[in-house]
Amino acid sequence: MAKRHMVTRLWLIALLVLTVGLVAPPHTTCAQESTTEQPELSVDLASNDEGYSAVLYDNTNGLPTSEANDIVETKEGFIWIGSYSGLIRYDGNTFERMGSTTGVASVVSLFVDSTDRLWVGTNDSGVAVLEDGEFRFITMEDGLTSASVRAVAEDGIGNIFVATTEGITLVSQDGRIVPMHDPRVDESYVRDLLPDSKGVLYGVTMEGEVFSIKGEALRDFYTSEQLGIPSVISVLPDPNRDGYVYLGTKESSVYYGNLEDGFANPKRIDVSPLSSIKSLALFGDRLWICADNGIGFMEGDHVHQVQNVPLNNSIDHVAQDYEGNLWFTSSRQGVMKIVPTSSQTSSSAMACRRP
């Protein structure tokens, strides 16, 4: 009798274990799961109901450095990061710094053209072009106005313009390398250069001058005094309205107006407490603001400062990858990736949403 009760108890225990195994939630495993310490994670970008995960990469968790100047993505899905320590490629799993044999060092700007060539602006070695796996340099010996390249942009017909600390150089489709000769920008330190949807380029100089390039010539040019706006440091063309641009300042203001009509009666947008607006970007209906003291975005007439994320100073640029994730660079903290998560995303899935 005792033996029969023992068998019955063992059978019940086995049945209970089997039942628990069937109804218990499965363990979620990430492809990149590791026993090493994971990147810092934050949620809730702007204290709203949307969910986000924010991952900071620096020299403690995979990034070879703790500073980054620019970031872009090429068509094959590689994320490229420019830093003073060199050019870094991210393949979704690993950050790899390009070797010294490439000659690429001290990267301050990046650009991907319409043919998927990667242009790498360096601090003192000119611009390098990555095409078919090989780097080709364009230097002052070739006609570049300066060895320090701050920005690269492409117009509507495939001409490349290289903005430097001493003017602008045209690299034409037919291979010509010609400095732009215009007394208004000759030897000017050009901070940034960006195209609109029609291929007109808009730039800003270290002196706060704002200009546009159409064809191979300067079209519009306004000093800070002519604009009536002090300390302009960034520019963004509106892709939906020809001639209209956003101008960021050293203070807590962004201005919006038509440069073709002299920027008459621009709209002023107060973005405080953000200040020193280093760059602006439009993704969907949001105007993203990269500032010296944080990140923000404008939706409609409302400006939101991003809260509870690990990247919070010296924010230089933002890029959006093909999955819709946002990548921010900081010249002091490294790189942060922000991933929007839907309300249906489970906590285990969110934990696995790592690059």
Coordinates of all heavy atoms in Angstrom, one line a residue, residues 63-118:
L63 N 32.3 50.8 -28.0 CA 32.9 51.9 -28.8 C 34.3 52.1 -28.5 O 34.7 52.2 -27.3 CB 32.0 53.1 -28.6 CG 32.2 54.3 -29.6 CD1 31.6 53.8 -31.0 CD2 31.5 55.5 -29.1
P64 N 35.2 52.2 -29.5 CA 36.6 52.4 -29.2 C 37.0 53.7 -28.5 O 38.1 53.9 -28.2 CB 37.3 52.3 -30.6 CG 36.3 51.6 -31.4 CD 35.0 52.0 -30.9
T65 N 36.0 54.6 -28.4 CA 36.3 56.0 -27.9 C 35.1 56.5 -27.1 O 34.0 55.9 -27.2 CB 36.6 56.9 -29.0 OG1 36.9 58.2 -28.5 CG2 35.5 57.0 -30.0
S66 N 35.2 57.5 -26.4 CA 34.1 58.1 -25.7 C 33.7 59.5 -26.3 O 33.1 60.3 -25.6 CB 34.4 58.3 -24.2 OG 34.3 57.0 -23.6
E67 N 34.1 59.7 -27.6 CA 33.7 60.9 -28.2 C 33.3 60.6 -29.7 O 33.9 59.6 -30.3 CB 34.8 62.0 -28.2 CG 36.2 61.5 -28.5 CD 36.5 61.4 -30.0 OE1 35.8 62.1 -30.8 OE2 37.4 60.7 -30.4
A68 N 32.4 61.4 -30.3 CA 32.0 61.1 -31.6 C 31.5 62.5 -32.2 O 30.9 63.2 -31.6 CB 30.8 60.1 -31.7
N69 N 32.0 62.7 -33.5 CA 31.7 64.0 -34.1 C 30.5 63.9 -35.1 O 29.8 64.9 -35.4 CB 32.9 64.5 -34.8 CG 34.0 64.8 -33.8 OD1 33.8 65.4 -32.8 ND2 35.3 64.4 -34.2
D70 N 30.4 62.8 -35.8 CA 29.3 62.7 -36.8 C 29.0 61.2 -37.0 O 29.7 60.3 -36.6 CB 29.8 63.3 -38.2 CG 28.7 63.8 -39.0 OD1 27.5 63.6 -38.7 OD2 29.0 64.5 -40.0
I71 N 27.8 61.0 -37.7 CA 27.4 59.6 -37.9 C 26.5 59.5 -39.1 O 25.7 60.5 -39.4 CB 26.6 59.1 -36.6 CG1 26.3 57.6 -36.7 CG2 25.3 60.0 -36.4 CD1 25.8 57.0 -35.4
V72 N 26.6 58.5 -40.0 CA 25.8 58.3 -41.2 C 25.6 56.8 -41.3 O 26.3 56.0 -40.7 CB 26.5 58.8 -42.4 CG1 26.6 60.4 -42.4 CG2 27.9 58.2 -42.7
E73 N 24.8 56.4 -42.3 CA 24.5 55.0 -42.6 C 24.7 54.9 -44.1 O 24.1 55.7 -44.9 CB 23.2 54.5 -42.2 CG 22.9 53.1 -42.5 CD 21.5 52.6 -42.1 OE1 20.6 53.5 -42.2 OE2 21.3 51.5 -41.7
T74 N 25.4 53.8 -44.6 CA 25.4 53.5 -46.0 C 24.4 52.4 -46.3 O 23.8 51.8 -45.4 CB 26.8 53.0 -46.4 OG1 27.3 52.0 -45.4 CG2 27.8 54.2 -46.4
K75 N 24.2 52.2 -47.6 CA 23.0 51.4 -48.1 C 23.1 50.0 -47.6 O 22.1 49.3 -47.5 CB 22.9 51.5 -49.6 CG 22.4 52.8 -50.1 CD 22.3 52.8 -51.6 CE 21.9 54.2 -52.1 NZ 21.8 54.3 -53.6
E76 N 24.3 49.4 -47.4 CA 24.4 48.1 -47.0 C 24.1 47.9 -45.5 O 24.1 46.8 -45.0 CB 25.8 47.5 -47.3 CG 27.0 48.1 -46.5 CD 27.6 49.3 -47.1 OE1 26.9 50.1 -47.6 OE2 28.9 49.3 -47.2
G77 N 23.8 49.0 -44.8 CA 23.4 48.9 -43.4 C 24.4 49.2 -42.4 O 24.2 49.2 -41.2
F78 N 25.7 49.5 -42.9 CA 26.7 49.9 -41.9 C 26.5 51.3 -41.3 O 26.1 52.2 -42.1 CB 28.1 49.8 -42.6 CG 28.6 48.5 -42.9 CD1 29.0 48.1 -44.2 CD2 28.7 47.5 -41.9 CE1 29.4 46.9 -44.5 CE2 29.2 46.2 -42.2 CZ 29.6 45.9 -43.5
I79 N 26.7 51.4 -40.0 CA 26.7 52.7 -39.4 C 28.1 53.1 -39.3 O 29.0 52.4 -38.8 CB 26.1 52.6 -38.0 CG1 24.6 52.2 -38.0 CG2 26.2 54.0 -37.2 CD1 23.7 53.2 -38.7
W80 N 28.4 54.4 -39.7 CA 29.8 54.9 -39.7 C 29.8 56.1 -38.7 O 29.0 57.0 -38.8 CB 30.2 55.4 -41.1 CG 30.3 54.3 -42.1 CD1 29.2 53.8 -42.9 CD2 31.4 53.5 -42.5 NE1 29.7 52.8 -43.7 CE2 31.0 52.6 -43.5 CE3 32.7 53.5 -42.0 CZ2 31.9 51.6 -44.0 CZ3 33.6 52.6 -42.6 CH2 33.2 51.7 -43.6
I81 N 30.8 56.1 -37.9 CA 31.0 57.1 -36.8 C 32.3 57.8 -37.0 O 33.4 57.1 -37.1 CB 30.9 56.5 -35.4 CG1 29.5 55.8 -35.3 CG2 31.1 57.5 -34.4 CD1 29.5 54.8 -34.1
G82 N 32.3 59.1 -37.1 CA 33.6 59.8 -37.2 C 34.0 60.4 -35.8 O 33.2 61.0 -35.1
S83 N 35.2 60.1 -35.5 CA 35.7 60.6 -34.2 C 37.2 61.1 -34.3 O 37.8 60.8 -35.3 CB 35.7 59.5 -33.1 OG 36.7 58.5 -33.3
Y84 N 37.7 61.8 -33.3 CA 39.1 62.2 -33.4 C 40.0 61.0 -33.4 O 41.2 61.1 -33.8 CB 39.4 63.1 -32.2 CG 38.7 64.5 -32.4 CD1 37.8 65.0 -31.4 CD2 38.9 65.3 -33.5 CE1 37.2 66.2 -31.5 CE2 38.3 66.5 -33.6 CZ 37.4 67.0 -32.6 OH 36.8 68.2 -32.8
S85 N 39.5 59.9 -32.9 CA 40.4 58.7 -32.8 C 40.3 57.9 -34.1 O 41.0 56.9 -34.3 CB 40.0 57.8 -31.7 OG 38.7 57.3 -31.8
G86 N 39.5 58.4 -35.1 CA 39.5 57.7 -36.4 C 38.0 57.4 -36.9 O 37.1 58.0 -36.4
L87 N 37.9 56.6 -37.9 CA 36.7 56.2 -38.5 C 36.2 54.8 -37.9 O 37.0 53.9 -38.0 CB 36.8 56.1 -40.0 CG 35.5 55.7 -40.8 CD1 34.4 56.8 -40.6 CD2 35.9 55.5 -42.3
I88 N 35.0 54.7 -37.5 CA 34.5 53.5 -36.8 C 33.3 53.0 -37.6 O 32.4 53.8 -38.0 CB 34.1 53.8 -35.4 CG1 35.3 54.3 -34.6 CG2 33.5 52.6 -34.7 CD1 34.9 55.0 -33.3
R89 N 33.3 51.7 -37.9 CA 32.2 51.0 -38.6 C 31.4 50.1 -37.6 O 32.1 49.3 -36.9 CB 32.7 50.2 -39.8 CG 31.6 49.7 -40.6 CD 32.1 48.9 -41.8 NE 32.8 47.6 -41.3 CZ 33.4 46.8 -42.2 NH1 33.5 47.1 -43.5 NH2 33.9 45.7 -41.7
Y90 N 30.1 50.2 -37.6 CA 29.3 49.3 -36.8 C 28.4 48.4 -37.7 O 27.7 49.0 -38.6 CB 28.4 50.2 -35.9 CG 27.5 49.4 -35.0 CD1 28.0 48.5 -34.0 CD2 26.1 49.5 -35.1 CE1 27.2 47.8 -33.2 CE2 25.3 48.8 -34.3 CZ 25.8 48.0 -33.3 OH 24.9 47.2 -32.5
D91 N 28.5 47.1 -37.5 CA 27.8 46.2 -38.4 C 26.5 45.6 -37.7 O 25.9 44.7 -38.2 CB 28.7 45.1 -38.8 CG 29.2 44.2 -37.7 OD1 28.8 44.4 -36.5 OD2 30.0 43.3 -37.9
G92 N 26.1 46.2 -36.6 CA 25.0 45.6 -35.9 C 25.4 44.8 -34.7 O 24.5 44.5 -33.8
N93 N 26.6 44.4 -34.6 CA 27.1 43.6 -33.5 C 28.4 44.2 -32.9 O 28.6 44.2 -31.7 CB 27.5 42.2 -34.0 CG 26.2 41.4 -34.3 OD1 25.4 41.1 -33.5 ND2 26.1 41.0 -35.6
T94 N 29.3 44.7 -33.8 CA 30.6 45.1 -33.3 C 31.0 46.5 -33.9 O 30.7 46.8 -35.1 CB 31.7 44.1 -33.8 OG1 31.3 42.8 -33.4 CG2 33.0 44.4 -33.2
F95 N 31.6 47.3 -33.1 CA 32.3 48.5 -33.5 C 33.7 48.2 -33.9 O 34.5 47.7 -33.1 CB 32.3 49.6 -32.4 CG 30.9 50.0 -32.0 CD1 30.2 49.5 -30.9 CD2 30.3 51.1 -32.7 CE1 28.9 49.9 -30.6 CE2 29.0 51.5 -32.4 CZ 28.3 51.0 -31.3
E96 N 34.1 48.6 -35.1 CA 35.4 48.3 -35.6 C 36.0 49.6 -36.1 O 35.5 50.3 -37.0 CB 35.4 47.3 -36.8 CG 36.7 47.0 -37.4 CD 36.7 46.2 -38.6 OE1 35.5 45.8 -39.0 OE2 37.7 45.8 -39.1
R97 N 37.2 50.0 -35.5 CA 37.9 51.2 -36.0 C 38.7 50.8 -37.2 O 39.5 49.8 -37.2 CB 38.8 51.7 -34.9 CG 39.6 53.0 -35.3 CD 40.1 53.8 -34.1 NE 40.7 53.0 -33.1 CZ 40.8 53.3 -31.8 NH1 40.4 54.5 -31.4 NH2 41.4 52.5 -30.9
M98 N 38.6 51.6 -38.3 CA 39.4 51.4 -39.5 C 40.9 51.5 -39.2 O 41.3 52.4 -38.5 CB 39.0 52.3 -40.6 CG 37.5 52.2 -41.0 SD 37.1 50.7 -41.8 CE 36.4 49.7 -40.4
G99 N 41.7 50.6 -39.7 CA 43.1 50.6 -39.4 C 43.9 51.8 -39.9 O 43.4 52.5 -40.8
S100 N 45.0 52.0 -39.3 CA 45.9 53.1 -39.6 C 46.4 53.0 -41.1 O 46.8 54.1 -41.7 CB 47.0 53.2 -38.7 OG 47.8 52.0 -38.7
T101 N 46.3 51.8 -41.7 CA 46.8 51.7 -43.0 C 45.9 52.4 -44.0 O 46.3 52.7 -45.2 CB 46.9 50.2 -43.4 OG1 45.6 49.6 -43.2 CG2 47.9 49.5 -42.6
T102 N 44.7 52.7 -43.6 CA 43.8 53.5 -44.5 C 44.2 54.9 -44.6 O 43.8 55.6 -45.6 CB 42.3 53.4 -44.0 OG1 42.2 54.1 -42.7 CG2 41.8 52.0 -43.9
G103 N 44.9 55.4 -43.6 CA 45.3 56.8 -43.6 C 44.3 57.8 -43.1 O 44.5 59.0 -43.0
V104 N 43.1 57.2 -42.7 CA 42.0 58.0 -42.2 C 42.2 58.2 -40.7 O 42.2 57.2 -39.9 CB 40.7 57.4 -42.5 CG1 39.5 58.2 -41.9 CG2 40.5 57.2 -44.0
A105 N 42.2 59.5 -40.2 CA 42.4 59.8 -38.8 C 41.7 61.1 -38.5 O 41.5 61.9 -39.4 CB 43.8 59.8 -38.4
S106 N 41.4 61.3 -37.3 CA 40.8 62.6 -36.8 C 39.6 63.1 -37.7 O 39.7 64.1 -38.4 CB 41.9 63.7 -36.8 OG 41.5 64.8 -36.0
V107 N 38.5 62.3 -37.6 CA 37.4 62.5 -38.5 C 36.4 63.5 -37.8 O 36.0 63.3 -36.7 CB 36.7 61.2 -38.8 CG1 35.5 61.4 -39.7 CG2 37.6 60.2 -39.5
V108 N 36.0 64.5 -38.6 CA 35.1 65.5 -38.0 C 33.8 65.6 -38.7 O 32.8 66.1 -38.2 CB 35.8 66.9 -38.0 CG1 36.9 67.0 -37.0 CG2 36.2 67.3 -39.4
S109 N 33.7 65.0 -40.0 CA 32.4 65.1 -40.7 C 32.3 63.9 -41.6 O 33.3 63.3 -42.1 CB 32.4 66.4 -41.5 OG 33.4 66.5 -42.5
L110 N 31.1 63.5 -41.9 CA 30.8 62.3 -42.8 C 29.6 62.7 -43.7 O 28.7 63.5 -43.3 CB 30.4 61.1 -41.9 CG 31.5 60.5 -41.0 CD1 30.9 59.5 -40.1 CD2 32.6 59.9 -41.8
F111 N 29.6 62.1 -44.9 CA 28.5 62.3 -45.8 C 28.5 61.1 -46.8 O 29.5 60.5 -47.2 CB 28.8 63.6 -46.7 CG 27.8 63.8 -47.7 CD1 26.5 64.2 -47.4 CD2 28.1 63.6 -49.1 CE1 25.5 64.4 -48.4 CE2 27.1 63.8 -50.1 CZ 25.9 64.2 -49.7
V112 N 27.2 60.7 -47.1 CA 27.0 59.6 -48.1 C 26.3 60.2 -49.3 O 25.2 60.8 -49.1 CB 26.2 58.5 -47.5 CG1 25.9 57.4 -48.5 CG2 26.8 57.9 -46.2
D113 N 26.9 60.1 -50.5 CA 26.4 60.7 -51.6 C 25.3 59.8 -52.3 O 25.0 58.7 -51.8 CB 27.4 61.2 -52.6 CG 28.2 60.0 -53.3 OD1 27.7 58.9 -53.3 OD2 29.3 60.2 -53.8
S114 N 24.8 60.2 -53.4 CA 23.7 59.5 -54.1 C 24.1 58.2 -54.7 O 23.3 57.4 -55.1 CB 23.1 60.4 -55.2 OG 24.1 60.8 -56.1
T115 N 25.4 58.0 -54.9 CA 25.9 56.7 -55.4 C 26.5 55.8 -54.3 O 27.2 54.9 -54.5 CB 27.1 57.0 -56.4 OG1 28.2 57.6 -55.8 CG2 26.5 57.8 -57.6
D116 N 26.2 56.2 -53.0 CA 26.6 55.5 -51.8 C 28.1 55.5 -51.5 O 28.6 54.6 -50.9 CB 26.1 54.0 -51.9 CG 25.9 53.4 -50.5 OD1 25.4 54.1 -49.6 OD2 26.3 52.2 -50.3
R117 N 28.7 56.5 -52.0 CA 30.1 56.7 -51.6 C 30.2 57.4 -50.3 O 29.4 58.4 -50.1 CB 30.9 57.5 -52.7 CG 31.1 56.9 -54.0 CD 31.9 57.8 -55.0 NE 31.1 59.0 -55.2 CZ 31.6 60.0 -56.0 NH1 32.8 59.9 -56.6 NH2 30.9 61.1 -56.3
L118 N 31.1 57.0 -49.4 CA 31.2 57.6 -48.1 C 32.3 58.6 -48.2 O 33.5 58.3 -48.6 CB 31.6 56.5 -47.1 CG 31.9 57.0 -45.7 CD1 30.7 57.7 -45.0 CD2 32.5 55.9 -44.8

